[in-house]
mmCIF file with all atom_site columns, all heavy atoms in Angstrom:
data_model
loop_
_atom_site.group_PDB
_atom_site.id
_atom_site.type_symbol
_atom_site.label_atom_id
_atom_site.label_alt_id
_atom_site.label_comp_id
_atom_site.label_asym_id
_atom_site.label_entity_id
_atom_site.label_seq_id
_atom_site.pdbx_PDB_ins_code
_atom_site.Cartn_x
_atom_site.Cartn_y
_atom_site.Cartn_z
_atom_site.occupancy
_atom_site.B_iso_or_equiv
_atom_site.pdbx_formal_charge
_atom_site.auth_seq_id
_atom_site.auth_comp_id
_atom_site.auth_asym_id
_atom_site.auth_atom_id
_atom_site.pdbx_PDB_model_num
ATOM 1  N N   . ALA A 1 33 ? -7.959  -9.238  3.756  1.00 90.00 ? 33 ALA A N   1
ATOM 2  C CA  . ALA A 1 33 ? -9.273  -9.845  3.541  1.00 90.00 ? 33 ALA A CA  1
ATOM 3  C C   . ALA A 1 33 ? -9.473  -10.212 2.068  1.00 90.00 ? 33 ALA A C   1
ATOM 4  O O   . ALA A 1 33 ? -9.026  -9.513  1.167  1.00 90.00 ? 33 ALA A O   1
ATOM 5  C CB  . ALA A 1 33 ? -10.375 -8.889  3.996  1.00 90.00 ? 33 ALA A CB  1
ATOM 6  N N   . VAL A 1 34 ? -10.174 -11.325 1.870  1.00 91.00 ? 34 VAL A N   1
ATOM 7  C CA  . VAL A 1 34 ? -10.457 -11.839 0.532  1.00 91.00 ? 34 VAL A CA  1
ATOM 8  C C   . VAL A 1 34 ? -11.941 -12.177 0.454  1.00 91.00 ? 34 VAL A C   1
ATOM 9  O O   . VAL A 1 34 ? -12.487 -12.837 1.332  1.00 91.00 ? 34 VAL A O   1
ATOM 10 C CB  . VAL A 1 34 ? -9.616  -13.109 0.240  1.00 91.00 ? 34 VAL A CB  1
ATOM 11 C CG1 . VAL A 1 34 ? -9.955  -13.680 -1.115 1.00 91.00 ? 34 VAL A CG1 1
ATOM 12 C CG2 . VAL A 1 34 ? -8.139  -12.818 0.348  1.00 91.00 ? 34 VAL A CG2 1
ATOM 13 N N   . LYS A 1 35 ? -12.572 -11.715 -0.631 1.00 89.00 ? 35 LYS A N   1
ATOM 14 C CA  . LYS A 1 35 ? -13.985 -12.027 -0.868 1.00 89.00 ? 35 LYS A CA  1
ATOM 15 C C   . LYS A 1 35 ? -14.041 -13.129 -1.917 1.00 89.00 ? 35 LYS A C   1
ATOM 16 O O   . LYS A 1 35 ? -13.513 -12.988 -3.008 1.00 89.00 ? 35 LYS A O   1
ATOM 17 C CB  . LYS A 1 35 ? -14.713 -10.780 -1.370 1.00 89.00 ? 35 LYS A CB  1
ATOM 18 C CG  . LYS A 1 35 ? -16.179 -10.976 -1.608 1.00 89.00 ? 35 LYS A CG  1
ATOM 19 C CD  . LYS A 1 35 ? -16.785 -9.653  -2.064 1.00 89.00 ? 35 LYS A CD  1
ATOM 20 C CE  . LYS A 1 35 ? -18.247 -9.787  -2.347 1.00 89.00 ? 35 LYS A CE  1
ATOM 21 N NZ  . LYS A 1 35 ? -18.814 -8.508  -2.792 1.00 89.00 ? 35 LYS A NZ  1
ATOM 22 N N   . GLY A 1 36 ? -14.670 -14.250 -1.554 1.00 84.00 ? 36 GLY A N   1
ATOM 23 C CA  . GLY A 1 36 ? -14.719 -15.393 -2.455 1.00 84.00 ? 36 GLY A CA  1
ATOM 24 C C   . GLY A 1 36 ? -16.109 -15.663 -2.985 1.00 84.00 ? 36 GLY A C   1
ATOM 25 O O   . GLY A 1 36 ? -16.982 -14.794 -2.973 1.00 84.00 ? 36 GLY A O   1
ATOM 26 N N   . ALA A 1 37 ? -16.298 -16.875 -3.438 1.00 81.00 ? 37 ALA A N   1
ATOM 27 C CA  . ALA A 1 37 ? -17.591 -17.311 -3.958 1.00 81.00 ? 37 ALA A CA  1
ATOM 28 C C   . ALA A 1 37 ? -18.663 -17.146 -2.888 1.00 81.00 ? 37 ALA A C   1
ATOM 29 O O   . ALA A 1 37 ? -18.398 -17.253 -1.689 1.00 81.00 ? 37 ALA A O   1
ATOM 30 C CB  . ALA A 1 37 ? -17.506 -18.765 -4.404 1.00 81.00 ? 37 ALA A CB  1
ATOM 31 N N   . ASN A 1 38 ? -19.865 -16.864 -3.316 1.00 83.00 ? 38 ASN A N   1
ATOM 32 C CA  . ASN A 1 38 ? -21.013 -16.682 -2.414 1.00 83.00 ? 38 ASN A CA  1
ATOM 33 C C   . ASN A 1 38 ? -20.793 -15.546 -1.413 1.00 83.00 ? 38 ASN A C   1
ATOM 34 O O   . ASN A 1 38 ? -21.347 -15.576 -0.319 1.00 83.00 ? 38 ASN A O   1
ATOM 35 C CB  . ASN A 1 38 ? -21.343 -17.974 -1.670 1.00 83.00 ? 38 ASN A CB  1
ATOM 36 C CG  . ASN A 1 38 ? -21.663 -19.103 -2.615 1.00 83.00 ? 38 ASN A CG  1
ATOM 37 O OD1 . ASN A 1 38 ? -22.292 -18.897 -3.646 1.00 83.00 ? 38 ASN A OD1 1
ATOM 38 N ND2 . ASN A 1 38 ? -21.213 -20.302 -2.294 1.00 83.00 ? 38 ASN A ND2 1
ATOM 39 N N   . ASP A 1 39 ? -19.947 -14.588 -1.777 1.00 81.00 ? 39 ASP A N   1
ATOM 40 C CA  . ASP A 1 39 ? -19.673 -13.420 -0.936 1.00 81.00 ? 39 ASP A CA  1
ATOM 41 C C   . ASP A 1 39 ? -19.099 -13.767 0.434  1.00 81.00 ? 39 ASP A C   1
ATOM 42 O O   . ASP A 1 39 ? -19.254 -13.008 1.387  1.00 81.00 ? 39 ASP A O   1
ATOM 43 C CB  . ASP A 1 39 ? -20.921 -12.549 -0.786 1.00 81.00 ? 39 ASP A CB  1
ATOM 44 C CG  . ASP A 1 39 ? -21.302 -11.869 -2.080 1.00 81.00 ? 39 ASP A CG  1
ATOM 45 O OD1 . ASP A 1 39 ? -20.398 -11.628 -2.915 1.00 81.00 ? 39 ASP A OD1 1
ATOM 46 O OD2 . ASP A 1 39 ? -22.495 -11.577 -2.275 1.00 81.00 ? 39 ASP A OD2 1
ATOM 47 N N   . THR A 1 40 ? -18.432 -14.909 0.557  1.00 84.00 ? 40 THR A N   1
ATOM 48 C CA  . THR A 1 40 ? -17.777 -15.256 1.809  1.00 84.00 ? 40 THR A CA  1
ATOM 49 C C   . THR A 1 40 ? -16.500 -14.445 1.952  1.00 84.00 ? 40 THR A C   1
ATOM 50 O O   . THR A 1 40 ? -15.826 -14.143 0.979  1.00 84.00 ? 40 THR A O   1
ATOM 51 C CB  . THR A 1 40 ? -17.428 -16.758 1.864  1.00 84.00 ? 40 THR A CB  1
ATOM 52 O OG1 . THR A 1 40 ? -16.579 -17.067 0.764  1.00 84.00 ? 40 THR A OG1 1
ATOM 53 C CG2 . THR A 1 40 ? -18.682 -17.617 1.811  1.00 84.00 ? 40 THR A CG2 1
ATOM 54 N N   . VAL A 1 41 ? -16.184 -14.072 3.175  1.00 86.00 ? 41 VAL A N   1
ATOM 55 C CA  . VAL A 1 41 ? -14.976 -13.303 3.452  1.00 86.00 ? 41 VAL A CA  1
ATOM 56 C C   . VAL A 1 41 ? -14.027 -14.158 4.273  1.00 86.00 ? 41 VAL A C   1
ATOM 57 O O   . VAL A 1 41 ? -14.406 -14.728 5.293  1.00 86.00 ? 41 VAL A O   1
ATOM 58 C CB  . VAL A 1 41 ? -15.301 -11.989 4.201  1.00 86.00 ? 41 VAL A CB  1
ATOM 59 C CG1 . VAL A 1 41 ? -14.031 -11.232 4.530  1.00 86.00 ? 41 VAL A CG1 1
ATOM 60 C CG2 . VAL A 1 41 ? -16.230 -11.122 3.369  1.00 86.00 ? 41 VAL A CG2 1
ATOM 61 N N   . SER A 1 42 ? -12.789 -14.258 3.809  1.00 88.00 ? 42 SER A N   1
ATOM 62 C CA  . SER A 1 42 ? -11.753 -14.981 4.539  1.00 88.00 ? 42 SER A CA  1
ATOM 63 C C   . SER A 1 42 ? -10.486 -14.134 4.469  1.00 88.00 ? 42 SER A C   1
ATOM 64 O O   . SER A 1 42 ? -10.536 -12.975 4.074  1.00 88.00 ? 42 SER A O   1
ATOM 65 C CB  . SER A 1 42 ? -11.536 -16.367 3.916  1.00 88.00 ? 42 SER A CB  1
ATOM 66 O OG  . SER A 1 42 ? -11.120 -16.244 2.567  1.00 88.00 ? 42 SER A OG  1
#
Side-chain angles (χ1 to χ4, degrees):
V34 177
K35 182 178 179 180
N38 301 323
D39 291 333
T40 59
V41 178
S42 61

